[in-house]
Amino acid sequence: MVETKAAWKRIVARALAAHAAGKGMAEAGSGSLPGPDGVVLERPPKSELGDLGFPMFPYAKIMRAAPAQLASALAALIKGDPEAEGLGTASAEGPYLNVRLSRASLTATTLAAAASPSWGSVSGLAGKKVMVEFSSPNTNKPLHLGHLRNNVLGESLSRILSKAGAEVRKINHINDRGVHICKSMLAYQAYGEGRSPADEGLKGDHFVGKYYVLFNKLKEEDPSAEEKAQGMLLKWEQGDPEVRELWQKMKGWVLEGIKVTYARTGIAFDLYDFESDTYELGADAVREGLVKGVFYKEEDGSVWGNFEDIGLDRKVFLRKDGTSLYITQDIGTAIERHKAWPYDRLIYVVGNEQQYHFKVLFETLKRLGYDWAKDLHHLAYGMVNLPSGRMKTREGTVVDADDLVDEVAALAAKEIEDKGREDAVGDSGAVSERIALGALHYYLLQTSPIKDMLYDTAQSLSFTGDTGPYIQYMGARASSILRKHAAGEGNAVKGKASPDLLASDADWSVLKRVAELPEAVQAAADSMEPSVLAAYLHDLAADFSSWYRDNPVLNNPDPDLAASRLELVRAVKRSFEVASALVCVPFLETM
RNA sequence: GCGUUCGUAGCUCAGCUGGAUAGAGCGACGGACUUCGAAUCCGUAGGUCGCAGGUUCGACUCCUGUCGGACGCACCA
């Protein structure tokens, strides 16, 4: 499809040039005539109007002709173009030049492409190294709904970029130090009595999270708790063995628990960075920058950067005692990462409340003279709010990730039971789990990342309509048809497939949708928006759904048509598999 | 106060680099299961695209202003 579109842009550009020459304005107008890349191509609103549409408005002024006249003139010229031969026919529809593609050839190439193992792969990012940092949890509590959005965004984006040809490296930057970590440790010392997660039958992350919450209780009982937390942080920094040991132990518990959640939801990383290893990085770079005049020193010895010239504020980079801050560390890690693996792009999947931080960070690296600073990108995503408002730890309104998956999976299991499909699906528990992930991931990726989103329980738990399970269901229906055929049912076994037979409007619209997959992948990669693929899946599912209802495949009386449509079903299924994987929606043969 | 960002149907969201009557899902109403699984399909109702200007042959899309919401502007991360 991509090639076809490119070909038609060439044809139209050529026709425009020929028309201009014919009017004797080769010299006068040639400068303003568009090349193939400059030709505007769109999709007609109704399929009856054609497969491709070229609006003629932009050329009307240059050519000194009405758009409608141009369209007719070009349509006539294209009739004689050898390249257009066999590709399709052009006709004028008012001010638009529309093209009807020759169905058989595109059908043949699309079905063949969809059968290949690399279906959906594109080469837009071939040879590029892209690093994606995401998730980055704290080691004092379990993951919540907000992390789920971050995780699926990062994972999906990574899969998409790699499908677009990039070499992707996924990094998890673990926040394992700081006062907040010490708080859970203090509370554990006060109330833990040496127990382990196993003793309480809890996942490690939930276990530690419990003590983090208990710190509030400790504060009430001991007014100096906050100070003690600060004191503990100091001890940690000094390498106090007792503090370090407890820290290691509790951090281990949390990571163990969080990794279970990652495994369960299909999230994986190539590399774990620990803030405890990196928090002192960057100080040298700042000191060098101070010499170069990028920063300045206050009288108290603290080091600052001034960004007022670009509409930002001033910012501290080194405390008066010379120690690093969050931003200093990020400078250091970006430099280290680039040294270790010279990336063409580094994407930070981090909440939009840190937009300011990243602006300053990127500007600082630029001022420090790193030309790759332009390759840094903050993929800011909005908060997940509840109908009742923002999630708040203190008010206990945080939606726990594990609990949520459990809840949705239980609902899916009930759905399977209600429909009496336990026998058909086999392992009902495993299927429920995959349906739950499909529902949650699709729900979280549907909305474009930048926007805050509302987590509506009822809506996200719904399996009907524009949902993950709807996508999975259509994939399962396609699988079901193929399965029956493989078992010898239906007329397709007696027939011979031929692309020419898939010429009806109904077949054609499904085929076109299938053919669009590579473009959707490329668009998603370019815009860094998995939601593009979520939308593609929905369109594919909706097209397929109405198509198979009215167009019998196996039951078709004509064996050749049955066999041909079966090939279309195969291509649809492949597209479901490929696109679903890219948005972390598990594909199901049956559900 | 300054900065960033969002504002599309009752609700939740799409709308590609500006282009042909603004699209889905939920909810409402009405239809379709002796036919490849009804977690489905078909139809009806519902929008001055926050508001006001501007650029353009053409603006939901770009620019300015304005109103409303969110977030940020720590020697926290």
Side-chain angles (χ1 to χ4, degrees):
Chain A
M1 196 61 156
V2 183
E3 295 79 10
T4 312
K5 285 185 176 175
W8 277 101
K9 283 186 173 187
R10 280 197 302 275
I11 293 166
V12 171
R14 200 152 50 225
L16 273 169
H19 186 58
K23 290 183 77 177
M25 34 189 309
E27 288 130 44
S30 64
S32 338
L33 278 178
D37 293 336
V39 174
V40 178
L41 167 61
E42 58 152 304
R43 184 186 171 138
K46 284 191 169 181
S47 53
E48 299 92 86
L49 290 169
D51 303 311
L52 308 176
F54 296 91
M56 292 291 110
F57 307 101
Y59 325 116
K61 192 173 265 179
I62 316 167
M63 307 290 269
R64 291 196 300 257
Q69 288 177 313
L70 267 177
S72 325
L74 294 199
L77 277 169
I78 287 170
K79 277 201 175 68
D81 190 309
E83 193 179 3
E85 192 96 17
L87 279 180
T89 57
S91 62
E93 307 276 350
Y96 291 85
L97 177 70
N98 287 353
V99 171
R100 285 178 179 75
L101 299 172
S102 73
R103 300 184 175 183
S105 70
L106 189 68
T107 300
T109 55
T110 301
L111 292 181
S116 101
S118 63
W119 175 232
S121 297
V122 292
S123 55
L125 294 174
K128 300 286 184 195
K129 290 184 158 111
V130 182
M131 195 172 262
V132 183
E133 177 190 305
F134 65 102
S135 201
S136 307
N138 294 328
T139 54
N140 62 350
K141 55 187 172 198
L143 304 181
H144 61 252
L145 179 52
H147 290 112
L148 245 31
R149 186 178 194 189
N150 182 312
N151 292 352
V152 74
L153 253 176
E155 179 67 34
S156 172
L157 180 66
S158 299
R159 293 182 188 187
I160 289 165
L161 294 173
S162 121
K163 195 75 179 168
E167 185 188 345
V168 176
R169 193 169 278 194
K170 297 181 285 181
I171 294 199
N172 194 352
H173 193 73
I174 306 283
N175 297 306
D176 62 346
R177 57 149 244 126
V179 204
H180 52 298
I181 306 293
C182 294
K183 287 179 181 175
S184 55
M185 289 160 64
L186 270 176
Y188 178 75
Q189 283 180 332
Y191 308 113
E193 294 168 354
R195 286 191 296 272
S196 72
D199 294 333
E200 298 191 11
L202 287 173
K203 252 176 103 225
D205 48 344
H206 288 111
F207 177 83
V208 173
K210 195 184 95 175
Y211 289 98
Y212 181 63
V213 173
L214 277 174
F215 180 76
N216 292 315
K217 186 181 164 198
L218 185 66
K219 252 191 338 195
E220 286 169 22
E221 295 173 0
D222 179 358
S224 67
E226 292 279 359
E227 282 173 47
K228 284 184 176 163
Q230 287 294 345
M232 187 180 249
L233 180 61
L234 199 64
K235 278 189 175 178
W236 181 89
E237 281 173 358
Q238 291 161 349
D240 180 278
E242 197 185 330
V243 171
R244 285 279 178 156
E245 194 193 337
L246 178 62
W247 171 74
Q248 278 294 359
K249 187 160 74 176
M250 294 183 72
K251 168 178 154 178
W253 286 335
V254 173
L255 283 178
E256 203 181 324
I258 287 180
K259 283 180 179 175
V260 169
T261 308
Y262 286 148
R264 181 183 192 188
T265 53
I267 309 294
F269 298 91
D270 299 303
L271 204 67
Y272 279 77
D273 262 3
F274 292 92
E275 201 187 305
S276 53
D277 294 331
T278 63
Y279 79 104
E280 289 171 313
L281 286 177
D284 289 343
V286 171
R287 281 189 279 269
E288 282 168 33
L290 186 60
V291 176
K292 283 195 270 183
V294 175
F295 305 106
Y296 65 94
K297 206 170 215 171
E298 281 288 342
E299 287 176 8
D300 65 358
S302 54
V303 178
W304 294 69
N306 188 333
F307 302 91
E308 285 167 338
D309 55 322
I310 56 164
L312 302 176
D313 223 326
R314 300 170 183 209
K315 180 108 190 153
V316 190
F317 285 82
L318 287 176
R319 293 192 181 93
K320 54 177 171 258
D321 61 6
T323 53
S324 300
L325 286 94
Y326 176 49
I327 188 149
T328 323
Q329 177 198 178
D330 270 356
I331 291 170
T333 50
I335 295 171
E336 288 301 315
R337 286 171 182 178
H338 194 270
K339 243 184 240 168
W341 197 67
Y343 45 75
D344 296 289
R345 200 189 311 176
L346 167 55
I347 301 167
Y348 296 88
V349 182
V350 177
N352 63 7
E353 70 272 11
Q354 295 199 36
Q355 282 178 127
Y356 182 86
H357 165 77
F358 283 104
K359 231 176 229 180
V360 173
L361 174 66
F362 298 165
E363 174 67 18
T364 304
L365 285 161
K366 193 177 109 192
R367 292 184 182 184
L368 285 172
Y370 296 103
D371 58 343
W372 45 261
K374 61 175 171 25
D375 304 320
L376 304 174
H377 188 265
H378 175 205
L379 179 62
Y381 64 92
M383 310 201 330
V384 184
N385 293 313
L386 303 172
S388 56
R390 194 173 172 167
M391 285 194 280
K392 293 222 168 87
T393 317
R394 269 171 272 143
E395 293 167 22
T397 53
V398 175
V399 178
D400 179 79
D402 294 314
D403 293 349
L404 183 57
V405 179
D406 285 344
E407 188 186 357
V408 182
L411 232 64
K414 186 174 178 300
E415 193 80 13
I416 291 172
E417 197 185 325
D418 289 350
K419 294 181 194 303
R421 292 194 51 82
E422 287 127 310
D423 292 340
V425 301
D427 187 345
S428 176
V431 172
S432 305
E433 177 90 3
R434 306 189 74 188
I435 291 172
L437 291 181
L440 285 169
H441 287 165
Y442 187 84
Y443 184 78
L444 291 169
L445 288 182
Q446 242 180 338
T447 315
S448 37
I450 342 137
K451 295 189 182 177
D452 284 354
M453 64 180 288
L454 188 77
Y455 177 77
D456 185 303
T457 319
Q459 203 179 321
S460 76
L461 296 184
S462 156
F463 298 153
T464 63
D466 188 5
T467 63
Y470 170 63
I471 309 294
Q472 292 174 313
Y473 178 69
M474 287 308 154
R477 292 301 300 272
S479 304
S480 173
I481 293 173
L482 293 169
R483 207 161 41 236
K484 281 193 150 67
H485 169 73
E489 290 182 42
N491 282 333
V493 285
K494 295 177 284 187
K496 188 172 178 314
S498 163
D500 303 328
L501 298 179
L502 296 173
S504 74
D505 289 345
D507 296 337
W508 177 239
S509 63
V510 173
L511 185 109
K512 270 199 294 182
R513 188 67 74 189
V514 168
E516 273 174 16
L517 175 62
E519 290 164 75
V521 172
Q522 189 61 255
D526 291 344
S527 59
M528 295 190 271
E529 290 228 15
S531 60
V532 171
L533 279 169
Y536 171 81
L537 276 166
H538 175 260
D539 290 342
L540 179 66
D543 286 348
F544 176 66
S545 178
S546 51
W547 174 79
Y548 81 69
R549 185 153 210 85
D550 303 328
N551 297 276
V553 181
L554 298 179
N555 293 340
N556 204 290
D558 177 351
D560 290 343
L561 183 53
S564 304
R565 286 200 172 141
L566 191 74
E567 291 312 307
L568 185 51
V569 173
R570 218 184 286 284
V572 167
K573 183 193 166 187
R574 275 288 293 149
S575 303
F576 272 125
E577 285 175 325
V578 170
S580 298
L582 295 178
V583 291
C584 307
V585 171
F587 181 86
L588 292 169
E589 293 280 340
T590 63
M591 63 186 281

